[in-house]
Amino acid sequence: MTPPHARPAASHCRELVAGDSALADPKPALALIGERLARGLALGLARLSGDEVPSVRSGIPKDAAFAALRDTAEGLASHCLMGMGASDLPLLASFDSAPVFRLVDRAFGGPGEVPEPAPDAFPLSAELLLARLERCLADALTFALGPGDDHRVHPLRRDTSLRQLDPFPPDTQLLLLSLEIEEVDFPSWSLTLALPIDTLTAAMASQHHAPVRQGRLATPGPTGEPFASMPLEVTAVLVDMRLGMTRLSALRPGDVLPVAVARSVPLQIGGKTLATGTIGEIDDRVAVQLTHAF
């Protein structure tokens, strides 16, 4: 008969508790991190594009050596080396060029098309969008890895060539995690994370030893969820002119109205001016450079 004070040992998920068993096989832990990353990245991408929250799915982690990954990289792509924590433990994020060009086209009001023929390099507009995309991914990774400065992720440098970027020694053993992004009315696209085993092991170890903080949920502000993902229509008023009723009623196709674009173009939401700027162009697209924000 079992003594009344004896209790069976508790059984816990080995990926969520401290101990050497959690560090022996990092794949299951990376899969759990990928699920949290998918949720955080979906919200970040919605804020980036101003559209509906996309569906983001995390794949199954796979083993790879950096030398093999480097030798199979083909075509124009963006590879960003990121650092985790104060020691800048390295990890790599790779984006194909096609989704980057689609996002740039959408940012300028286009339907999300890839230029034909495809450029050999990223134009300035794509570089600016890549910087925002990397920041979005870094924030989602920080959220996925958990609280603490040891898990804070930030972009370090970017290159279109893995050989030029040279993020890891050739014999570095990596875990690859693919994220598939699906948006309404747009082709699906993906990005790939490559984490050295040492980086992931350090993240898991600091995660286990991080103290649990108790506190009340913060009241969301206007720049936080669920408000941050709400799309708002911004209007740039290029021409503001007055016409008499007689002239207006006499307008016919082919008539020419002389107009003058103001030097200071207001940006408005709901009829209220939030900023002013000047008209210019970037990559053969009309653009507004902000000169003053209220």
Side-chain angles (χ1 to χ4, degrees):
M1 181 175 179
T2 303
H5 61 274
R7 295 182 180 178
S11 177
H12 301 286
C13 174
R14 64 189 178 92
E15 289 83 18
L16 298 179
V17 297
D20 292 339
S21 62
L23 303 180
D25 183 9
K27 282 185 182 179
L30 181 57
L32 292 176
I33 292 173
E35 293 176 3
R36 288 176 54 85
L37 174 60
R39 294 195 296 271
L41 185 60
L43 295 175
L45 290 175
R47 291 193 294 267
L48 181 64
S49 64
D51 294 329
E52 298 180 7
V53 178
S55 172
V56 181
R57 296 196 307 271
S58 175
I60 300 175
K62 299 179 180 179
D63 292 300
F66 174 63
L69 182 67
R70 179 193 60 192
D71 294 340
T72 57
E74 297 180 356
L76 180 63
S78 176
H79 306 285
C80 177
L81 178 65
M82 297 186 175
M84 184 187 73
S87 301
D88 282 341
L89 295 174
L91 56 102
L92 180 70
S94 296
F95 306 87
D96 289 335
S97 61
V100 174
F101 287 126
R102 290 193 190 101
L103 287 172
V104 170
D105 189 61
R106 289 163 57 186
F108 283 95
E113 296 179 345
V114 178
E116 292 290 346
D120 296 329
F122 288 114
L124 176 59
S125 56
E127 295 284 353
L128 295 174
L129 187 137
L130 279 167
R132 297 179 60 193
L133 193 58
E134 292 161 1
R135 183 69 261 171
C136 172
L137 178 59
D139 291 343
L141 275 167
T142 301
F143 164 78
L145 292 170
D149 292 338
D150 289 340
H151 296 152
R152 190 170 300 279
V153 179
H154 52 276
L156 296 176
R157 63 180 189 272
R158 176 193 326 133
D159 205 292
T160 57
S161 168
L162 277 179
R163 292 184 180 275
Q164 293 295 326
L165 186 64
D166 194 24
F168 319 117
D171 59 348
T172 302
Q173 292 301 309
L174 305 171
L175 280 180
L176 303 183
L177 183 68
S178 295
L179 295 165
E180 188 77 14
I181 298 97
E182 294 183 356
E183 301 176 273
V184 178
D185 299 329
F186 295 102
S188 61
W189 55 284
S190 63
L191 63 92
T192 302
L193 293 178
L195 291 85
I197 301 297
D198 292 344
T199 296
L200 184 57
T201 301
M204 293 165 58
S206 60
Q207 191 177 60
H208 294 321
H209 296 296
V212 177
R213 300 178 181 178
Q214 300 292 337
R216 294 181 299 175
L217 291 175
T219 302
T223 58
E225 297 301 333
F227 309 110
S229 300
M230 295 177 60
L232 298 175
E233 182 175 335
V234 181
T235 302
V237 183
L238 300 183
V239 177
D240 188 3
M241 59 187 302
R242 295 177 180 272
L243 287 177
M245 181 59 71
T246 302
R247 181 73 178 93
L248 186 63
S249 61
L251 289 178
R252 297 291 184 271
D255 289 352
V256 177
L257 297 176
V259 297
V261 178
R263 291 187 176 182
S264 182
V265 176
L267 295 181
Q268 299 180 346
I269 295 180
K272 296 186 179 296
T273 300
L274 303 180
T276 57
T278 57
I279 291 294
E281 67 175 39
I282 181 171
D283 296 337
D284 298 325
R285 304 264 192 154
V286 177
V288 178
Q289 183 178 25
L290 297 187
T291 56
H292 185 71
F294 302 99

